[in-house]
Amino acid sequence: MSAPTSPTDLYHHSLHLLLDKDIDAWVALWAEDGLMEFPFAPDGWPRRLEGKEAIAAYMRHYPDHIDLHDFPDLRIHETTDPRTIVVEMRGVGRLVESDAPFDMTYIAVVTVHDGHITSYRDYWNPLGVQQPGADFTGSSR
């Protein structure tokens, strides 16, 4: 089965891959020159990842640190650009290191072209990474 190509269907598919902890398949949804941005990233965390390789390196160890269980409160809004959606959601689960609950709110602006994610601007809540075990990026904070 091929991956979906509409932005909404592709985004739903990407969430299922994250819940399945299939990071390689999640990264495969990206365009080679994809751009991932984190405008609210705290000091020591990346604010911009350019290219599929950088995105893969960033996400590689995510499941070792954050065990996602669900994305409740998911709302996807279409925009005047048929390639771009705005997503509101929560990610819930647990932090692997401490077994503490994980509950993060997100707003993302996602653009898809030719069935691949080309741009993902992630406005996640930086307060959530202040918990021990949440730093899956290996940042130097």
Side-chain angles (χ1 to χ4, degrees):
M1 176 181 163
S2 62
T5 57
S6 80
T8 296
D9 291 344
L10 188 69
Y11 196 81
H12 278 286
H13 182 62
S14 75
L15 295 180
H16 289 290
L17 293 173
L18 288 175
L19 291 174
D20 290 344
K21 298 166 184 41
D22 191 345
I23 300 304
D24 290 338
W26 185 86
V27 169
L29 300 177
W30 282 81
E32 288 299 322
D33 61 348
L35 175 64
M36 191 171 204
E37 297 176 284
F38 309 96
F40 295 153
D43 289 342
W45 282 70
R47 293 187 189 270
R48 183 178 176 99
L49 302 169
E50 295 183 34
K52 188 185 244 183
E53 286 186 34
I55 294 163
Y58 175 80
M59 290 296 292
R60 183 171 295 123
H61 299 291
Y62 189 94
D64 299 332
H65 299 276
I66 299 173
D67 179 18
L68 289 170
H69 298 163
D70 195 11
F71 292 101
D73 308 322
L74 176 64
R75 286 180 282 190
I76 298 177
H77 308 279
E78 294 182 359
T79 69
T80 57
D81 178 348
R83 299 177 309 157
T84 300
I85 57 175
V86 175
V87 179
E88 297 177 84
M89 68 178 187
R90 286 175 46 224
V92 297
R94 69 179 183 86
L95 296 174
V96 173
E97 180 182 304
S98 65
D99 204 35
F102 176 81
D103 192 336
M104 178 77 71
T105 56
Y106 302 87
I107 292 178
V109 179
V110 182
T111 301
V112 172
H113 184 69
D114 290 336
H116 290 93
I117 300 168
T118 57
S119 175
Y120 193 120
R121 207 165 35 254
D122 193 345
Y123 295 91
W124 55 275
N125 179 358
L127 299 175
V129 298
Q130 294 177 350
Q131 301 178 61
D135 188 354
F136 64 92
T137 67
S139 68
S140 59
R141 292 180 303 108

PDB file of all heavy atoms in Angstrom, residues 21 45 58-68 93-102 131-139:
ATOM      1  N   LYS A  21       6.023   3.596  16.574  1.00  0.00           N
ATOM      2  CA  LYS A  21       7.460   3.806  16.777  1.00  0.00           C
ATOM      3  C   LYS A  21       8.280   3.423  15.538  1.00  0.00           C
ATOM      4  O   LYS A  21       9.417   3.000  15.616  1.00  0.00           O
ATOM      5  CB  LYS A  21       7.952   3.058  18.015  1.00  0.00           C
ATOM      6  CG  LYS A  21       7.275   3.555  19.281  1.00  0.00           C
ATOM      7  CD  LYS A  21       7.480   2.657  20.444  1.00  0.00           C
ATOM      8  CE  LYS A  21       6.741   3.090  21.675  1.00  0.00           C
ATOM      9  NZ  LYS A  21       5.395   3.598  21.522  1.00  0.00           N
ATOM     10  N   TRP A  45      18.061  23.658  22.069  1.00  0.00           N
ATOM     11  CA  TRP A  45      17.289  22.771  21.196  1.00  0.00           C
ATOM     12  C   TRP A  45      17.333  23.333  19.786  1.00  0.00           C
ATOM     13  O   TRP A  45      17.372  24.558  19.595  1.00  0.00           O
ATOM     14  CB  TRP A  45      15.838  22.701  21.679  1.00  0.00           C
ATOM     15  CG  TRP A  45      15.656  21.813  22.867  1.00  0.00           C
ATOM     16  CD1 TRP A  45      16.104  22.058  24.136  1.00  0.00           C
ATOM     17  CD2 TRP A  45      15.007  20.557  22.913  1.00  0.00           C
ATOM     18  NE1 TRP A  45      15.752  21.034  24.959  1.00  0.00           N
ATOM     19  CE2 TRP A  45      15.074  20.095  24.237  1.00  0.00           C
ATOM     20  CE3 TRP A  45      14.352  19.786  21.967  1.00  0.00           C
ATOM     21  CZ2 TRP A  45      14.524  18.883  24.632  1.00  0.00           C
ATOM     22  CZ3 TRP A  45      13.801  18.577  22.364  1.00  0.00           C
ATOM     23  CH2 TRP A  45      13.902  18.146  23.677  1.00  0.00           C
ATOM     24  N   TYR A  58      17.436  13.833  14.077  1.00  0.00           N
ATOM     25  CA  TYR A  58      16.705  14.442  15.186  1.00  0.00           C
ATOM     26  C   TYR A  58      15.714  13.454  15.800  1.00  0.00           C
ATOM     27  O   TYR A  58      15.575  13.359  17.017  1.00  0.00           O
ATOM     28  CB  TYR A  58      15.985  15.691  14.679  1.00  0.00           C
ATOM     29  CG  TYR A  58      15.090  16.369  15.682  1.00  0.00           C
ATOM     30  CD1 TYR A  58      15.627  17.210  16.661  1.00  0.00           C
ATOM     31  CD2 TYR A  58      13.714  16.201  15.651  1.00  0.00           C
ATOM     32  CE1 TYR A  58      14.809  17.851  17.575  1.00  0.00           C
ATOM     33  CE2 TYR A  58      12.888  16.837  16.557  1.00  0.00           C
ATOM     34  CZ  TYR A  58      13.441  17.663  17.521  1.00  0.00           C
ATOM     35  OH  TYR A  58      12.623  18.295  18.423  1.00  0.00           O
ATOM     36  N   MET A  59      15.016  12.700  14.966  1.00  0.00           N
ATOM     37  CA  MET A  59      13.953  11.805  15.432  1.00  0.00           C
ATOM     38  C   MET A  59      14.420  10.394  15.784  1.00  0.00           C
ATOM     39  O   MET A  59      13.671   9.639  16.403  1.00  0.00           O
ATOM     40  CB  MET A  59      12.862  11.704  14.363  1.00  0.00           C
ATOM     41  CG  MET A  59      12.055  12.963  14.186  1.00  0.00           C
ATOM     42  SD  MET A  59      11.092  13.401  15.649  1.00  0.00           S
ATOM     43  CE  MET A  59       9.881  12.072  15.664  1.00  0.00           C
ATOM     44  N   ARG A  60      15.626  10.044  15.425  1.00  0.00           N
ATOM     45  CA  ARG A  60      16.115   8.667  15.560  1.00  0.00           C
ATOM     46  C   ARG A  60      15.868   8.072  16.945  1.00  0.00           C
ATOM     47  O   ARG A  60      15.427   6.938  17.076  1.00  0.00           O
ATOM     48  CB  ARG A  60      17.601   8.616  15.214  1.00  0.00           C
ATOM     49  CG  ARG A  60      18.194   7.216  15.262  1.00  0.00           C
ATOM     50  CD  ARG A  60      19.594   7.183  14.694  1.00  0.00           C
ATOM     51  NE  ARG A  60      19.521   7.505  13.266  1.00  0.00           N
ATOM     52  CZ  ARG A  60      20.178   8.515  12.687  1.00  0.00           C
ATOM     53  NH1 ARG A  60      20.955   9.297  13.384  1.00  0.00           N
ATOM     54  NH2 ARG A  60      20.059   8.744  11.395  1.00  0.00           N
ATOM     55  N   HIS A  61      16.135   8.815  18.007  1.00  0.00           N
ATOM     56  CA  HIS A  61      16.049   8.269  19.366  1.00  0.00           C
ATOM     57  C   HIS A  61      14.775   8.676  20.100  1.00  0.00           C
ATOM     58  O   HIS A  61      14.641   8.405  21.289  1.00  0.00           O
ATOM     59  CB  HIS A  61      17.285   8.677  20.163  1.00  0.00           C
ATOM     60  CG  HIS A  61      18.549   8.140  19.555  1.00  0.00           C
ATOM     61  ND1 HIS A  61      18.857   6.803  19.559  1.00  0.00           N
ATOM     62  CD2 HIS A  61      19.548   8.756  18.890  1.00  0.00           C
ATOM     63  CE1 HIS A  61      20.003   6.612  18.934  1.00  0.00           C
ATOM     64  NE2 HIS A  61      20.442   7.782  18.511  1.00  0.00           N
ATOM     65  N   TYR A  62      13.850   9.287  19.408  1.00  0.00           N
ATOM     66  CA  TYR A  62      12.609   9.738  20.034  1.00  0.00           C
ATOM     67  C   TYR A  62      11.911   8.627  20.818  1.00  0.00           C
ATOM     68  O   TYR A  62      11.579   8.802  21.986  1.00  0.00           O
ATOM     69  CB  TYR A  62      11.686  10.322  18.950  1.00  0.00           C
ATOM     70  CG  TYR A  62      10.469  11.022  19.486  1.00  0.00           C
ATOM     71  CD1 TYR A  62      10.474  12.386  19.702  1.00  0.00           C
ATOM     72  CD2 TYR A  62       9.300  10.317  19.771  1.00  0.00           C
ATOM     73  CE1 TYR A  62       9.350  13.043  20.190  1.00  0.00           C
ATOM     74  CE2 TYR A  62       8.176  10.968  20.253  1.00  0.00           C
ATOM     75  CZ  TYR A  62       8.206  12.325  20.467  1.00  0.00           C
ATOM     76  OH  TYR A  62       7.106  12.965  20.951  1.00  0.00           O
ATOM     77  N   PRO A  63      11.698   7.418  20.230  1.00  0.00           N
ATOM     78  CA  PRO A  63      10.985   6.371  20.969  1.00  0.00           C
ATOM     79  C   PRO A  63      11.747   5.839  22.184  1.00  0.00           C
ATOM     80  O   PRO A  63      11.152   5.217  23.064  1.00  0.00           O
ATOM     81  CB  PRO A  63      10.793   5.253  19.945  1.00  0.00           C
ATOM     82  CG  PRO A  63      11.048   5.859  18.615  1.00  0.00           C
ATOM     83  CD  PRO A  63      11.968   7.021  18.846  1.00  0.00           C
ATOM     84  N   ASP A  64      13.052   6.060  22.237  1.00  0.00           N
ATOM     85  CA  ASP A  64      13.831   5.626  23.402  1.00  0.00           C
ATOM     86  C   ASP A  64      13.599   6.535  24.605  1.00  0.00           C
ATOM     87  O   ASP A  64      13.951   6.176  25.724  1.00  0.00           O
ATOM     88  CB  ASP A  64      15.333   5.629  23.082  1.00  0.00           C
ATOM     89  CG  ASP A  64      15.683   4.673  21.958  1.00  0.00           C
ATOM     90  OD1 ASP A  64      14.968   3.657  21.781  1.00  0.00           O
ATOM     91  OD2 ASP A  64      16.665   4.944  21.246  1.00  0.00           O
ATOM     92  N   HIS A  65      13.028   7.701  24.379  1.00  0.00           N
ATOM     93  CA  HIS A  65      12.839   8.690  25.436  1.00  0.00           C
ATOM     94  C   HIS A  65      11.376   9.011  25.714  1.00  0.00           C
ATOM     95  O   HIS A  65      11.011   9.277  26.857  1.00  0.00           O
ATOM     96  CB  HIS A  65      13.598   9.975  25.087  1.00  0.00           C
ATOM     97  CG  HIS A  65      15.068   9.747  24.969  1.00  0.00           C
ATOM     98  ND1 HIS A  65      15.897   9.754  26.057  1.00  0.00           N
ATOM     99  CD2 HIS A  65      15.846   9.466  23.900  1.00  0.00           C
ATOM    100  CE1 HIS A  65      17.140   9.488  25.661  1.00  0.00           C
ATOM    101  NE2 HIS A  65      17.130   9.312  24.365  1.00  0.00           N
ATOM    102  N   ILE A  66      10.567   9.006  24.656  1.00  0.00           N
ATOM    103  CA  ILE A  66       9.147   9.338  24.814  1.00  0.00           C
ATOM    104  C   ILE A  66       8.322   8.212  24.206  1.00  0.00           C
ATOM    105  O   ILE A  66       8.448   7.906  23.019  1.00  0.00           O
ATOM    106  CB  ILE A  66       8.813  10.693  24.153  1.00  0.00           C
ATOM    107  CG1 ILE A  66       9.634  11.799  24.823  1.00  0.00           C
ATOM    108  CG2 ILE A  66       7.318  10.976  24.252  1.00  0.00           C
ATOM    109  CD1 ILE A  66       9.531  13.149  24.161  1.00  0.00           C
ATOM    110  N   ASP A  67       7.506   7.578  25.042  1.00  0.00           N
ATOM    111  CA  ASP A  67       6.629   6.486  24.622  1.00  0.00           C
ATOM    112  C   ASP A  67       5.236   7.067  24.409  1.00  0.00           C
ATOM    113  O   ASP A  67       4.477   7.244  25.362  1.00  0.00           O
ATOM    114  CB  ASP A  67       6.616   5.400  25.701  1.00  0.00           C
ATOM    115  CG  ASP A  67       5.709   4.234  25.350  1.00  0.00           C
ATOM    116  OD1 ASP A  67       5.355   4.083  24.170  1.00  0.00           O
ATOM    117  OD2 ASP A  67       5.347   3.479  26.276  1.00  0.00           O
ATOM    118  N   LEU A  68       4.929   7.391  23.162  1.00  0.00           N
ATOM    119  CA  LEU A  68       3.633   7.990  22.836  1.00  0.00           C
ATOM    120  C   LEU A  68       2.535   6.937  22.854  1.00  0.00           C
ATOM    121  O   LEU A  68       2.725   5.821  22.362  1.00  0.00           O
ATOM    122  CB  LEU A  68       3.688   8.642  21.458  1.00  0.00           C
ATOM    123  CG  LEU A  68       4.507   9.917  21.368  1.00  0.00           C
ATOM    124  CD1 LEU A  68       4.677  10.327  19.906  1.00  0.00           C
ATOM    125  CD2 LEU A  68       3.862  11.029  22.154  1.00  0.00           C
ATOM    126  N   GLY A  93       1.561  10.194  26.628  1.00  0.00           N
ATOM    127  CA  GLY A  93       2.261   8.931  26.824  1.00  0.00           C
ATOM    128  C   GLY A  93       3.040   8.992  28.113  1.00  0.00           C
ATOM    129  O   GLY A  93       2.552   9.490  29.131  1.00  0.00           O
ATOM    130  N   ARG A  94       4.293   8.516  28.039  1.00  0.00           N
ATOM    131  CA  ARG A  94       5.140   8.537  29.231  1.00  0.00           C
ATOM    132  C   ARG A  94       6.586   8.784  28.822  1.00  0.00           C
ATOM    133  O   ARG A  94       6.984   8.508  27.686  1.00  0.00           O
ATOM    134  CB  ARG A  94       5.022   7.238  30.012  1.00  0.00           C
ATOM    135  CG  ARG A  94       5.614   6.052  29.302  1.00  0.00           C
ATOM    136  CD  ARG A  94       5.512   4.762  30.101  1.00  0.00           C
ATOM    137  NE  ARG A  94       6.170   3.692  29.372  1.00  0.00           N
ATOM    138  CZ  ARG A  94       7.470   3.414  29.440  1.00  0.00           C
ATOM    139  NH1 ARG A  94       8.266   4.110  30.222  1.00  0.00           N
ATOM    140  NH2 ARG A  94       7.984   2.440  28.727  1.00  0.00           N
ATOM    141  N   LEU A  95       7.350   9.319  29.765  1.00  0.00           N
ATOM    142  CA  LEU A  95       8.785   9.476  29.569  1.00  0.00           C
ATOM    143  C   LEU A  95       9.438   8.165  29.963  1.00  0.00           C
ATOM    144  O   LEU A  95       9.210   7.654  31.070  1.00  0.00           O
ATOM    145  CB  LEU A  95       9.319  10.624  30.412  1.00  0.00           C
ATOM    146  CG  LEU A  95       8.760  11.996  30.045  1.00  0.00           C
ATOM    147  CD1 LEU A  95       9.231  13.054  31.032  1.00  0.00           C
ATOM    148  CD2 LEU A  95       9.164  12.369  28.631  1.00  0.00           C
ATOM    149  N   VAL A  96      10.210   7.586  29.078  1.00  0.00           N
ATOM    150  CA  VAL A  96      10.781   6.262  29.289  1.00  0.00           C
ATOM    151  C   VAL A  96      11.705   6.248  30.504  1.00  0.00           C
ATOM    152  O   VAL A  96      11.626   5.345  31.343  1.00  0.00           O
ATOM    153  CB  VAL A  96      11.517   5.782  28.014  1.00  0.00           C
ATOM    154  CG1 VAL A  96      12.257   4.485  28.260  1.00  0.00           C
ATOM    155  CG2 VAL A  96      10.524   5.640  26.852  1.00  0.00           C
ATOM    156  N   GLU A  97      12.575   7.233  30.641  1.00  0.00           N
ATOM    157  CA  GLU A  97      13.577   7.257  31.714  1.00  0.00           C
ATOM    158  C   GLU A  97      12.944   7.275  33.105  1.00  0.00           C
ATOM    159  O   GLU A  97      13.365   6.558  33.993  1.00  0.00           O
ATOM    160  CB  GLU A  97      14.494   8.467  31.545  1.00  0.00           C
ATOM    161  CG  GLU A  97      15.566   8.584  32.608  1.00  0.00           C
ATOM    162  CD  GLU A  97      16.419   9.823  32.405  1.00  0.00           C
ATOM    163  OE1 GLU A  97      16.993   9.961  31.299  1.00  0.00           O
ATOM    164  OE2 GLU A  97      16.488  10.652  33.323  1.00  0.00           O
ATOM    165  N   SER A  98      11.930   8.084  33.292  1.00  0.00           N
ATOM    166  CA  SER A  98      11.355   8.273  34.622  1.00  0.00           C
ATOM    167  C   SER A  98       9.985   7.622  34.797  1.00  0.00           C
ATOM    168  O   SER A  98       9.472   7.569  35.909  1.00  0.00           O
ATOM    169  CB  SER A  98      11.221   9.770  34.909  1.00  0.00           C
ATOM    170  OG  SER A  98      10.288  10.344  34.018  1.00  0.00           O
ATOM    171  N   ASP A  99       9.392   7.166  33.716  1.00  0.00           N
ATOM    172  CA  ASP A  99       8.032   6.635  33.695  1.00  0.00           C
ATOM    173  C   ASP A  99       7.000   7.703  34.076  1.00  0.00           C
ATOM    174  O   ASP A  99       5.864   7.392  34.413  1.00  0.00           O
ATOM    175  CB  ASP A  99       7.881   5.399  34.588  1.00  0.00           C
ATOM    176  CG  ASP A  99       6.716   4.522  34.155  1.00  0.00           C
ATOM    177  OD1 ASP A  99       6.462   4.437  32.935  1.00  0.00           O
ATOM    178  OD2 ASP A  99       6.042   3.947  35.025  1.00  0.00           O
ATOM    179  N   ALA A 100       7.407   8.972  34.020  1.00  0.00           N
ATOM    180  CA  ALA A 100       6.490  10.081  34.309  1.00  0.00           C
ATOM    181  C   ALA A 100       5.552  10.284  33.124  1.00  0.00           C
ATOM    182  O   ALA A 100       5.912   9.990  31.980  1.00  0.00           O
ATOM    183  CB  ALA A 100       7.280  11.363  34.571  1.00  0.00           C
ATOM    184  N   PRO A 101       4.361  10.799  33.378  1.00  0.00           N
ATOM    185  CA  PRO A 101       3.438  11.079  32.266  1.00  0.00           C
ATOM    186  C   PRO A 101       4.014  12.132  31.326  1.00  0.00           C
ATOM    187  O   PRO A 101       4.740  13.031  31.746  1.00  0.00           O
ATOM    188  CB  PRO A 101       2.191  11.616  32.957  1.00  0.00           C
ATOM    189  CG  PRO A 101       2.339  11.298  34.392  1.00  0.00           C
ATOM    190  CD  PRO A 101       3.798  11.128  34.671  1.00  0.00           C
ATOM    191  N   PHE A 102       3.684  11.991  30.059  1.00  0.00           N
ATOM    192  CA  PHE A 102       4.051  12.963  29.039  1.00  0.00           C
ATOM    193  C   PHE A 102       2.756  13.489  28.443  1.00  0.00           C
ATOM    194  O   PHE A 102       1.881  12.711  28.052  1.00  0.00           O
ATOM    195  CB  PHE A 102       4.903  12.293  27.949  1.00  0.00           C
ATOM    196  CG  PHE A 102       5.252  13.203  26.807  1.00  0.00           C
ATOM    197  CD1 PHE A 102       6.301  14.096  26.918  1.00  0.00           C
ATOM    198  CD2 PHE A 102       4.538  13.166  25.616  1.00  0.00           C
ATOM    199  CE1 PHE A 102       6.636  14.941  25.857  1.00  0.00           C
ATOM    200  CE2 PHE A 102       4.853  13.991  24.553  1.00  0.00           C
ATOM    201  CZ  PHE A 102       5.910  14.884  24.677  1.00  0.00           C
ATOM    202  N   GLN A 131      11.077  18.359  31.932  1.00  0.00           N
ATOM    203  CA  GLN A 131      11.038  17.150  32.742  1.00  0.00           C
ATOM    204  C   GLN A 131      12.264  16.288  32.452  1.00  0.00           C
ATOM    205  O   GLN A 131      12.681  16.182  31.310  1.00  0.00           O
ATOM    206  CB  GLN A 131       9.792  16.337  32.422  1.00  0.00           C
ATOM    207  CG  GLN A 131       8.489  17.066  32.649  1.00  0.00           C
ATOM    208  CD  GLN A 131       7.328  16.187  32.242  1.00  0.00           C
ATOM    209  OE1 GLN A 131       7.128  15.117  32.785  1.00  0.00           O
ATOM    210  NE2 GLN A 131       6.569  16.642  31.251  1.00  0.00           N
ATOM    211  N   PRO A 132      12.850  15.637  33.466  1.00  0.00           N
ATOM    212  CA  PRO A 132      13.963  14.731  33.217  1.00  0.00           C
ATOM    213  C   PRO A 132      13.549  13.617  32.261  1.00  0.00           C
ATOM    214  O   PRO A 132      12.461  13.069  32.373  1.00  0.00           O
ATOM    215  CB  PRO A 132      14.267  14.158  34.603  1.00  0.00           C
ATOM    216  CG  PRO A 132      13.687  15.125  35.570  1.00  0.00           C
ATOM    217  CD  PRO A 132      12.497  15.738  34.879  1.00  0.00           C
ATOM    218  N   GLY A 133      14.405  13.329  31.283  1.00  0.00           N
ATOM    219  CA  GLY A 133      14.132  12.267  30.326  1.00  0.00           C
ATOM    220  C   GLY A 133      13.439  12.716  29.068  1.00  0.00           C
ATOM    221  O   GLY A 133      13.235  11.931  28.159  1.00  0.00           O
ATOM    222  N   ALA A 134      13.072  13.987  28.977  1.00  0.00           N
ATOM    223  CA  ALA A 134      12.352  14.474  27.800  1.00  0.00           C
ATOM    224  C   ALA A 134      13.303  14.896  26.684  1.00  0.00           C
ATOM    225  O   ALA A 134      12.882  15.070  25.552  1.00  0.00           O
ATOM    226  CB  ALA A 134      11.448  15.643  28.176  1.00  0.00           C
ATOM    227  N   ASP A 135      14.574  15.066  26.970  1.00  0.00           N
ATOM    228  CA  ASP A 135      15.523  15.576  25.992  1.00  0.00           C
ATOM    229  C   ASP A 135      16.040  14.447  25.115  1.00  0.00           C
ATOM    230  O   ASP A 135      17.069  13.854  25.379  1.00  0.00           O
ATOM    231  CB  ASP A 135      16.678  16.275  26.693  1.00  0.00           C
ATOM    232  CG  ASP A 135      17.593  17.000  25.726  1.00  0.00           C
ATOM    233  OD1 ASP A 135      17.404  16.862  24.501  1.00  0.00           O
ATOM    234  OD2 ASP A 135      18.498  17.692  26.197  1.00  0.00           O
ATOM    235  N   PHE A 136      15.310  14.141  24.038  1.00  0.00           N
ATOM    236  CA  PHE A 136      15.711  13.069  23.139  1.00  0.00           C
ATOM    237  C   PHE A 136      16.683  13.543  22.077  1.00  0.00           C
ATOM    238  O   PHE A 136      17.194  12.743  21.304  1.00  0.00           O
ATOM    239  CB  PHE A 136      14.476  12.440  22.475  1.00  0.00           C
ATOM    240  CG  PHE A 136      13.731  13.383  21.584  1.00  0.00           C
ATOM    241  CD1 PHE A 136      14.007  13.476  20.246  1.00  0.00           C
ATOM    242  CD2 PHE A 136      12.721  14.190  22.106  1.00  0.00           C
ATOM    243  CE1 PHE A 136      13.319  14.351  19.434  1.00  0.00           C
ATOM    244  CE2 PHE A 136      12.016  15.052  21.297  1.00  0.00           C
ATOM    245  CZ  PHE A 136      12.318  15.139  19.962  1.00  0.00           C
ATOM    246  N   THR A 137      16.974  14.845  22.046  1.00  0.00           N
ATOM    247  CA  THR A 137      17.847  15.370  20.983  1.00  0.00           C
ATOM    248  C   THR A 137      19.318  15.366  21.369  1.00  0.00           C
ATOM    249  O   THR A 137      20.156  15.618  20.535  1.00  0.00           O
ATOM    250  CB  THR A 137      17.457  16.818  20.634  1.00  0.00           C
ATOM    251  OG1 THR A 137      17.745  17.668  21.754  1.00  0.00           O
ATOM    252  CG2 THR A 137      15.993  16.923  20.268  1.00  0.00           C
ATOM    253  N   GLY A 138      19.609  15.104  22.629  1.00  0.00           N
ATOM    254  CA  GLY A 138      20.995  15.169  23.080  1.00  0.00           C
ATOM    255  C   GLY A 138      21.522  16.576  23.119  1.00  0.00           C
ATOM    256  O   GLY A 138      22.700  16.820  22.958  1.00  0.00           O
ATOM    257  N   SER A 139      20.632  17.537  23.342  1.00  0.00           N
ATOM    258  CA  SER A 139      21.063  18.928  23.370  1.00  0.00           C
ATOM    259  C   SER A 139      21.953  19.178  24.578  1.00  0.00           C
ATOM    260  O   SER A 139      22.014  18.379  25.501  1.00  0.00           O
ATOM    261  CB  SER A 139      19.859  19.866  23.390  1.00  0.00           C
ATOM    262  OG  SER A 139      19.164  19.760  24.604  1.00  0.00           O
TER     263      SER A 139
END
